[in-house]
Amino acid sequence: MIIRGNWWLMSVATCAIGIFGVVPVWADSSGDAALERLGRTTESALRQTPVLRAVLEDLSGDEAAAASQSGAGTPSIGYLREGIGSSFDRQLNSQDTVSIDIPFNGPGQGSRARRLTDAAGLRTVALKRVAVLDVVRVVGEEWVRTAALADRLEVVRTRLDHLDKALILQNKRLELGEVAGTEVMQLELARAAEASKRAGLEADAESGRHRMKALCGDGCVFPAPGDLVAIQSSLGSRSQVRGAVDFETAPGVRGVMSDKALAEAQADLTAATIWGRPSVGVEWEHIPSLDGIEGWDALGLQLTVPLPFGRSGKRQVEEAEARSRAAAAWAEAEMVEIQARYEWVRSEFRGAEARLAALNPVLNRLERTEFSLGEQFRLGAVSYLVYIDGLSRLDGVQLEAVDARERLLQSRLRLAVLLDDAGLFPLPPKYPEPVQEN
């Protein structure tokens, strides 16, 4: 009996070493490495996503169209030969005429044309930033979601590992008659449930990776377990999330305000040019010598000025002004929408912070609590039911913390994109804006 008892103690002790030695789930993740993975993924998406390229090309096309509308028109040159006989010979009224016509912006038209060109350039810069930040938001949300799945999967895998080793220990106890078969079966049922959770999380993680690859191609760098904790620690807190915000500098507001400025500039230019632009013409006439009659040359100058009359022109001016008023209304609506979105996301941010603050005291003692629970189970001080329930509660705390961190970083990302604030979440650098001339 002594030999058998020693063998049992040695077997149990050997199994317990693997069961109850607690290793942090994300001990190896660092803030710099996590931020580098996120940054490389975002950069790849900005380079490769066809949606962003399409938006940028559309903006370039709009800017080119505005520049074309600002132009006075295309110069023209003409040649006229008169007095041609049936044999293509010159008649008495023979004459050669070369004319050049050059349209130009008249008084008030030139300044309005420059204003339209400037407004189009500023609109392109503003909406390019909006498009870039929209891609950053989509990729960042997917990356954070995938990082949270990696953490959840790690929690479940760790619990499966504990249950596997606990099953080995219980089977040895069953062989020695220390426990009943129903106790082993209960552990097997708990393990089967965790294995099902793992399979579901692995499928979700694989779907997330495919969605990311659709956005950033081969340049994707997938998150590792612990990246949420690492990024949260690296970013720290920002008091601006709780303070006053100047919404007029928000990218979305600047985008719609640039639409409004462009519509106003188009309306002004349309009102000034709808009946046409003035033009200057130069004409050279040559009368050839014929039958001893000496020929001669003549130079002429012509100035054409449009007259502001016509129902069609008035209607087009009304259309341009109506579109300008509509753009102003849309800008006002966007300002209200962004303010409401900011308050909603800020509330989500505060809620996630409060959740983490409530969980932190337990999280700080998690490893010690888990080790204590394992030791009690190893020594037989608690039953398998208490052990399974304890593991479930500890894992529930970890999963709750993962969910809170995910929501915290998602809200920081959305606020950063909303306000174009790289202090809240990493964002691509801004580019210099063109200077608008008065």
Side-chain angles (χ1 to χ4, degrees):
M1 282 296 295
I2 295 176
I3 297 176
R4 183 181 178 184
N6 289 338
W7 174 84
W8 178 82
L9 288 173
M10 291 174 62
S11 300
V12 170
T14 302
C15 294
I17 292 173
I19 298 172
F20 308 110
V22 180
V23 179
V25 172
W26 27 74
D28 297 331
S29 185
S30 67
D32 291 341
L35 290 172
E36 182 183 0
R37 283 190 282 271
L38 173 60
R40 288 171 59 188
T41 301
T42 303
E43 290 172 4
S44 178
L46 292 174
R47 286 194 309 268
Q48 298 189 40
T49 177
V51 175
L52 179 60
R53 292 201 305 270
V55 171
L56 298 184
E57 291 299 334
D58 279 342
L59 290 173
S60 297
D62 292 343
E63 187 174 0
S68 175
Q69 186 179 354
S70 301
T74 304
S76 60
I77 184 170
Y79 172 72
L80 173 65
R81 181 175 179 180
E82 299 178 359
I84 300 175
S86 59
S87 301
F88 292 95
D89 55 343
R90 291 184 178 276
Q91 302 296 308
L92 292 177
N93 63 340
S94 179
Q95 175 181 331
D96 293 310
T97 304
V98 177
S99 61
I100 299 175
D101 187 70
I102 304 175
F104 62 93
N105 284 313
Q109 293 178 337
S111 59
R112 296 181 184 186
R114 287 192 297 273
R115 180 187 171 197
L116 176 61
T117 303
D118 293 341
L122 292 173
R123 175 181 180 269
T124 298
V125 172
L127 293 185
K128 277 185 177 180
R129 186 62 179 173
V130 171
V132 167
L133 291 178
D134 192 54
V135 172
V136 171
R137 178 187 59 79
V138 173
V139 175
E141 287 179 351
E142 198 61 56
W143 196 91
V144 170
R145 190 179 299 114
T146 305
L149 282 171
D151 283 354
R152 293 188 184 99
L153 188 57
E154 197 68 18
V155 171
V156 172
R157 284 173 175 168
T158 302
R159 185 178 183 188
L160 266 174
D161 185 59
H162 287 173
L163 290 175
D164 284 338
K165 293 174 181 177
L167 269 171
I168 296 173
L169 179 59
Q170 285 294 83
N171 280 317
K172 290 186 178 295
R173 286 174 172 172
L174 178 63
E175 292 174 4
L176 298 172
E178 298 290 332
V179 297
T182 55
E183 298 185 24
V184 177
M185 183 183 69
Q186 292 296 327
L187 279 174
E188 290 175 344
L189 291 175
R191 188 203 177 282
E194 291 303 312
S196 176
K197 291 180 184 178
R198 181 185 63 181
L201 289 172
E202 287 175 345
D204 291 341
E206 185 66 19
S207 298
R209 285 192 289 268
H210 284 301
R211 287 193 298 270
M212 286 178 60
K213 284 188 71 67
L215 292 169
C216 54
D218 295 334
C220 283
V221 184
F222 300 117
D227 279 357
L228 291 185
V229 177
I231 292 178
Q232 178 199 350
S233 300
S234 296
L235 295 180
S237 61
R238 280 295 300 268
S239 60
Q240 182 180 352
V241 179
R242 305 174 182 82
V245 175
D246 183 10
F247 290 102
E248 293 185 358
T249 62
V253 174
R254 296 185 64 187
V256 293
M257 293 301 292
S258 68
D259 278 333
K260 174 187 174 184
L262 180 63
E264 291 174 347
Q266 286 176 328
D268 287 345
L269 184 60
T270 298
T273 62
I274 194 61
W275 287 279
R277 288 178 169 88
S279 64
V280 61
V282 179
E283 186 176 87
W284 174 74
E285 297 179 354
H286 173 66
I287 308 298
S289 57
L290 185 65
D291 294 338
I293 302 174
E294 184 178 358
W296 52 273
D297 296 323
L299 183 66
L301 181 65
Q302 179 182 12
L303 179 63
T304 303
V305 179
L307 297 177
F309 301 114
R311 181 178 298 273
S312 175
K314 291 180 180 179
R315 291 293 179 264
Q316 292 185 51
V317 171
E318 291 174 1
E319 177 192 358
E321 290 175 346
R323 295 189 184 280
S324 175
R325 291 192 297 271
W330 280 117
E332 184 180 351
E334 183 67 16
M335 174 74 80
V336 174
E337 171 65 21
I338 286 178
Q339 289 176 345
R341 199 183 314 157
Y342 171 79
E343 294 299 334
W344 168 68
V345 178
R346 186 172 68 162
S347 297
E348 187 179 63
F349 173 83
R350 289 173 171 174
E353 274 197 331
R355 289 173 63 187
L356 282 176
L359 291 170
N360 276 335
V362 179
L363 292 174
N364 293 333
R365 302 193 306 268
L366 194 64
E367 293 181 23
R368 186 168 61 253
T369 303
E370 187 173 2
F371 179 79
S372 175
L373 177 65
E375 284 295 293
Q376 291 180 61
F377 176 68
R378 180 180 67 84
L379 297 173
V382 297
S383 67
Y384 71 95
L385 290 175
V386 173
Y387 179 63
I388 293 175
D389 182 66
L391 283 181
S392 179
R393 291 176 184 275
L394 292 173
D395 292 346
V397 170
Q398 292 189 72
L399 293 174
E400 181 74 11
V402 171
D403 184 69
R405 291 189 190 101
E406 179 186 6
R407 290 180 179 272
L408 179 67
L409 291 182
Q410 293 278 22
S411 59
R412 288 187 71 123
L413 168 61
R414 290 165 186 156
L415 286 171
V417 169
L418 196 67
L419 304 176
D420 201 359
D421 185 355
L424 291 169
F425 200 88
L427 298 176
K430 301 177 185 179
Y431 296 99
E433 299 184 5
V435 178
Q436 185 174 12
E437 298 180 2
N438 296 325

